[in-house]
């Protein structure tokens, strides 16, 4: 083998995979002293179409994972909290990165779907309720 064949110049670059950003959030019931999810909402755009879905019941995390497309980037504000309601459904988890006890990001597989999970709080450390005021975001019907 020549030196040229092993050089980084001749190695084919792997094309980066494109993931669909899926914003999600869980609501929970704490009546029994334990956080149990009863609602999961998600929003994403794909191929020019907007998807807004609500999933109800204690298995709403599984319903979310069944619904989202392959190669989804799940993004939640304080993903450490929301992640706990979907982690049990993953077939495989890899590349999980935490800072202290907070999840920053991770990769997983669910029913052959590639999934990434990211925490927006790792980038913007303010409460969601303060986004509109501090970032001057105004949505019709949410002011």
């Amino acid at each position: 083998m020549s030196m040229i064949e092993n050089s980084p110049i001749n190695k084919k670059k792997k094309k980066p995979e494109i993931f669909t950003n899926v914003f999600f959030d869980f609501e929970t019931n704490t009546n029994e002293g334990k956080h149990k999810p009863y609602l999961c909402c998600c929003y994403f755009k794909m191929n020019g179409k907007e998807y807004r879905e609500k999933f109800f019941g204690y298995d709403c995390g599984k319903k979310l994972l069944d619904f989202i497309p392959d190669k989804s980037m799940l993004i939640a504000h304080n993903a450490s909290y929301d992640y706990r309601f979907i982690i049990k459904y993953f077939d495989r988890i890899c590349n999980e990165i935490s800072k202290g006890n907070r999840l920053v990001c991770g990769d997983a597989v669910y029913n052959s779907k590639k999934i990434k999970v990211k925490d927006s709080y790792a980038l913007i450390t303010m409460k969601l309720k303060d986004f509109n005021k501090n970032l001057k975001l105004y949505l019709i019907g949410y002011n």
Side-chain angles (χ1 to χ4, degrees):
M1 228 180 249
S2 73
M3 291 281 269
I4 295 172
E5 289 176 46
N6 286 331
S7 75
I9 296 169
N10 281 344
K11 290 188 179 180
K12 291 183 180 178
K13 290 186 178 180
K14 196 174 181 181
K15 205 174 189 179
E17 293 181 289
I18 296 174
F19 281 71
T20 301
N21 290 337
V22 178
F23 301 93
F24 75 109
D25 188 38
F26 281 91
E27 297 301 326
T28 60
N29 178 336
T30 58
N31 290 345
E32 298 171 15
K34 184 178 174 187
H35 292 249
K36 286 187 169 184
Y38 67 87
L39 171 65
C40 179
C41 301
C42 74
Y43 169 84
F44 63 95
K45 280 185 180 180
M46 191 169 72
N47 299 325
K49 184 176 177 188
E50 287 189 6
Y51 295 86
R52 295 174 197 267
E53 288 295 324
K54 294 178 184 175
F55 307 99
F56 297 93
Y58 292 133
D59 64 341
C60 57
K62 182 179 183 328
K63 291 174 185 174
L64 167 73
L65 295 174
D66 287 335
F67 178 75
I68 61 174
D70 183 23
K71 297 181 184 169
S72 286
M73 172 102 52
L74 290 172
I75 301 169
H77 205 60
N78 189 11
S80 299
Y81 182 77
D82 299 276
Y83 184 64
R84 74 174 86 177
F85 305 119
I86 56 175
I87 191 172
K88 63 184 172 189
Y89 301 113
F90 291 146
D91 302 318
R92 189 173 71 240
I93 300 167
C94 49
N95 301 326
E96 195 174 272
I97 299 173
S98 296
K99 186 176 182 180
N101 63 352
R102 297 185 65 89
L103 174 77
V104 175
C105 62
D107 299 340
V109 175
Y110 172 76
N111 284 349
S112 301
K113 294 178 184 180
K114 291 182 180 180
I115 297 171
K116 293 183 178 288
V117 180
K118 290 208 174 182
D119 185 0
S120 62
Y121 191 80
L123 300 172
I124 304 171
T125 57
M126 77 174 71
K127 294 178 181 179
L128 278 177
K129 70 177 188 164
D130 296 334
F131 270 37
N132 281 352
K133 177 179 65 175
N134 293 318
L135 300 176
K136 309 235 185 301
L137 301 174
Y138 298 99
L139 300 173
I140 296 171
Y142 291 95
N143 296 356

